[in-house]
Every structure is written in C-alpha cells, then in structure tokens.
Amino acid sequence: EGDNETGRYFVSGLYKGHFRATGKNDCDANPKTCTGHITNVPCLWATYVISQAHHLNIAVESDGPLQNGGYDSSSVLEIWDAANATESNVLIYWYEPHPLIQSYRGSRAEFVPVILTPPTKECFDNRVNSKERCSANKTEQIGSSIGSCDHGINTYQMLTSVALNVCDEIEEASCSPAYDAIRSFEISALDLEEIFGYWYQRNIDRWNYDGREAVCRWVAENLD
C-alpha cells in the first residue's frame, strides 16, 4: 500500500472496497442506541444531516474522519463507487445536479432520493450555521427542530464583475450590450442535467475536452 492509497475507499482495477458492520450497528446488542451509517460531508458544506437525523428520529450517524464525522468529497465519490462494485446499500448526503448522479442513472446503483419534511422559510431561517455545524458541542450541531426540514429548490446564478460594465463611461451608441446579456443569463437544474448527460455520453476525454463539447452542444441546441 502506497501513500497515495492510504485512506482510499475504492481504487478502480485494484480495490473494490469493503463494508462491515460495527458495534454501533448491532441492534441485538444495543437495541435502544444502535444506528445505521450515513456518509455525511464536511461541516463547512451546507449539510444538516446531524440536525435532521436527530429531530426527525432517523437513527443514522456518520463516522468519517472529519470533525463532524463527515468525509471529504473525493471519499464520498469513492464510497459510492465501492457500493456499486460490491452491490452494497449505502446512505449518502449529496446534491444534484451532479455528474455522479448522472453517471449511475438507469443502473442498479442509481440514486434514490430520501424525502424529508417539506422546506419552509421558517425552517431555513432556523438552520444551524457553519459555526454550529463545525462546533465540538453536540447540542450546537443539532440545533433547533424547526430547522430540520428538507432542502429547498436551488437557484442558479452567475456573477459578473461590474468592471465589465463601461457603458457609463462612453457614448450610448458605442456601448456593447454584452454585459446586460451575460447578466440576464439563467440556467435551470434540468439544463445542467442535460449537459452532464452529454458529458458522460461522449466519454472520450472526460476531464478536459468532453466538458467543453457538452456545453457547446447544449448552447447550439438552445440558442432560441
């Protein structure tokens, strides 16, 4: 085992992963305190797993190496690959749209979402913040029951520098409409899913040209 394999959960062609139960998962020995395992993410991410699991009475716990028991993003991806390779069931906190979800769509390892309490503005206003999520105090990590609802629908925005807007400094007739055009551009989650689909279908130069080709294809097909 080399240094680059330490702490790995899946290595294509070399190691397909291994899942085992621990004492925390033994409900015969610990019928009142046993928990299943969930793969949480770093506490600086917008994750509410600890709060949701506690207040919604879902007996799961993440036992990763990070401060909140979470795993870094590369480890989460490897765990899902390992689950697919070993045909194991896993519970993972993740988000969409994301190419990982797209890559397994239609397969036996396709993601199945877990639907929690419907999100509300009151719930969002009472979520645990990053400081509380990263706290060593369990009570702070858990937060208020009001803030334990499901995630809402994401909105996708694009930021542009005001330095691109030079129309105040030149005559109107010479002003380019590019800034206003870029600023008004919007893309939906379904659009991103389509782009990710093009990306995975190509599978020639996955981490370089394929992404560019997928975006260009989507733009060409959606010029209207």
Side-chain angles (χ1 to χ4, degrees):
E1 178 181 277
D3 292 339
N4 62 336
E5 297 177 7
T6 302
R8 299 292 299 274
Y9 299 92
F10 177 85
V11 180
S12 181
L14 296 175
Y15 177 58
K16 67 177 184 179
H18 173 70
F19 295 89
R20 63 178 179 83
T22 69
K24 290 184 177 181
N25 312 136
D26 190 343
C27 290
D28 291 328
N30 306 292
K32 295 184 178 180
T33 60
C34 66
T35 59
H37 186 270
I38 183 170
T39 304
N40 198 5
V41 292
C43 59
L44 290 176
W45 288 32
T47 169
Y48 308 103
V49 165
I50 294 175
S51 175
Q52 290 165 331
H54 177 85
H55 293 297
L56 299 179
N57 197 29
I58 303 172
V60 293
E61 185 176 359
S62 184
D63 283 319
L66 302 184
Q67 182 176 349
N68 64 331
Y71 300 79
D72 60 48
S73 58
S74 61
S75 294
V76 175
L77 301 182
E78 288 183 0
I79 288 171
W80 194 265
D81 286 336
N84 175 52
T86 60
E87 296 188 345
S88 302
N89 296 317
V90 292
L91 185 61
I92 286 180
Y93 175 89
W94 205 238
Y95 61 93
E96 62 177 332
H98 189 277
L100 174 68
I101 295 177
Q102 183 72 36
S103 67
Y104 281 109
R105 186 153 291 159
S107 73
R108 294 183 63 185
E110 181 173 0
F111 280 65
V112 177
V114 176
I115 308 300
L116 303 179
T117 305
T120 63
K121 185 178 185 304
E122 181 184 22
C123 174
F124 286 3
D125 291 341
N126 287 274
R127 295 282 206 197
V128 287
N129 57 39
S130 59
K131 181 179 179 180
E132 292 166 335
R133 290 194 299 269
C134 295
S135 171
N137 187 313
K138 193 69 174 180
T139 301
E140 291 185 1
Q141 293 180 23
I142 291 172
S144 168
S145 61
I146 301 174
S148 60
C149 64
D150 207 343
H151 279 268
I153 298 174
N154 292 324
T155 56
Y156 299 93
Q157 301 173 327
M158 181 173 58
L159 302 180
T160 56
S161 171
V162 293
L164 297 176
N165 185 15
V166 295
C167 291
D168 294 336
E169 303 171 9
I170 60 177
E171 295 181 2
E172 183 177 356
S174 302
C175 181
S176 170
Y179 177 77
D180 288 333
I182 293 174
R183 187 177 60 178
S184 63
F185 177 78
E186 295 180 351
I187 189 168
S188 70
L190 292 177
D191 292 330
L192 288 175
E193 284 283 341
E194 190 171 23
I195 292 172
F196 287 149
Y198 293 159
W199 180 19
Y200 266 83
Q201 288 169 15
R202 184 174 173 81
N203 197 26
I204 297 174
D205 188 8
R206 175 64 52 81
W207 303 113
N208 187 20
Y209 185 77
D210 285 3
R212 303 178 191 181
E213 174 67 20
V215 172
C216 289
R217 175 181 171 182
W218 182 89
V219 171
E221 294 176 353
N222 292 273
L223 286 175
D224 295 339

